[in-house]
Amino acid sequence: MSNVKAAVFASGTGSNFEAIMNSENLACEIVLLVCDKPGASVIEKAERFGVQTFVANPKAYASKSEYEAEVLKTVREFGVEWIFLAGYMRLVGVTLLEAYEGKILNIHPSLLPAFPGKDAIGQALQSGATVTGVTVHFIDEGMDTGPIIAQEKVTVMPGDTEESLKVRIQQVEHALYPRVINNIVRRASLYPVK
Ligand code: GRF
């Protein structure tokens, strides 16, 4: 198993978390799940995979930076080198961004820069787009901005509902995210920046 350690940050169902965990020969070891929604079903999934969890409600902290300082302390304790956002429904703030510059990836269910933010699938349907897709990108301080690493198209079919389109988008996500993670982590070990 790889000695590069990573954390997944998620708030919801965790189907991408599951896909990452199930992917064969992952170039890093997922040692931690960070979840900001106590009770989210991704937590049970982590427990099933034997992945440690850090679950905290940011509202229980005096400020975003205090919450992130606690998260930062935890990811450092676990020796985390990479952070993969997978349905983490909050903007990452300066505390984590500075500490993990160029080491935080996100997956988004549209072809960014189209349809950023919440409900990207609903936005695509409402716009009448015939093609949407999936983007994996490095994050910055913006909402679904930051350098794009990979994109894959998904055709919007006549009669598609949010549910039917989501199923096809998530199939693409579950294959794309582990593949991109492997490419990025392997490349970084071959050409270390520091
Ligand atoms: C995914 O569609 C991802 O692109 C978006 O949030 C969703 C998370 O789904 N950022 P899941 O929790 O991984 O099932």
Side-chain angles (χ1 to χ4, degrees), residues 12-17 86-87 106-109 170 173:
T13 315
S15 69
N16 279 282
F17 169 80
N106 181 43
I107 185 156
H108 183 79
Q170 289 216 324
E173 290 190 335

Side-chain angles (χ1 to χ4, degrees), residues 167-178:
V167 167
R168 296 203 311 287
I169 284 185
Q170 289 216 324
Q171 279 170 355
V172 170
E173 290 190 335
H174 299 162
L176 184 66
Y177 211 4

Side-chain angles (χ1 to χ4, degrees), residues 4 44 97 182:
V4 178
E44 274 170 38
L97 272 174
N182 282 339

Side-chain angles (χ1 to χ4, degrees), residues 57-73:
N57 181 353
K59 293 201 179 104
Y61 294 79
S63 64
K64 183 176 183 120
S65 54
E66 277 191 28
Y67 162 71
E68 287 206 341
E70 185 79 9
V71 173
L72 183 56
K73 184 169 152 273

Side-chain angles (χ1 to χ4, degrees), residues 6-92:
V8 172
F9 285 25
S11 311
T13 315
S15 69
N16 279 282
F17 169 80
E18 202 168 18
I20 292 167
M21 293 308 301
N22 280 333
S23 107
E24 280 172 25
N25 302 318
L26 197 70
C28 52
E29 184 190 356
I30 306 299
V31 293
L32 180 69
L33 169 79
V34 171
C35 179
D36 62 336
K37 288 264 163 34
S41 40
V42 67
I43 299 165
E44 274 170 38
K45 290 192 170 80
E47 285 163 359
R48 237 188 294 135
F49 281 101
V51 172
Q52 299 282 315
T53 59
F54 174 83
V55 182
N57 181 353
K59 293 201 179 104
Y61 294 79
S63 64
K64 183 176 183 120
S65 54
E66 277 191 28
Y67 162 71
E68 287 206 341
E70 185 79 9
V71 173
L72 183 56
K73 184 169 152 273
T74 310
V75 290
R76 282 187 167 147
E77 277 166 9
F78 276 84
V80 164
E81 198 178 316
W82 292 90
I83 294 173
F84 308 128
L85 308 184
Y88 183 64
M89 300 304 284
R90 101 186 13 262
L91 271 184
V92 173

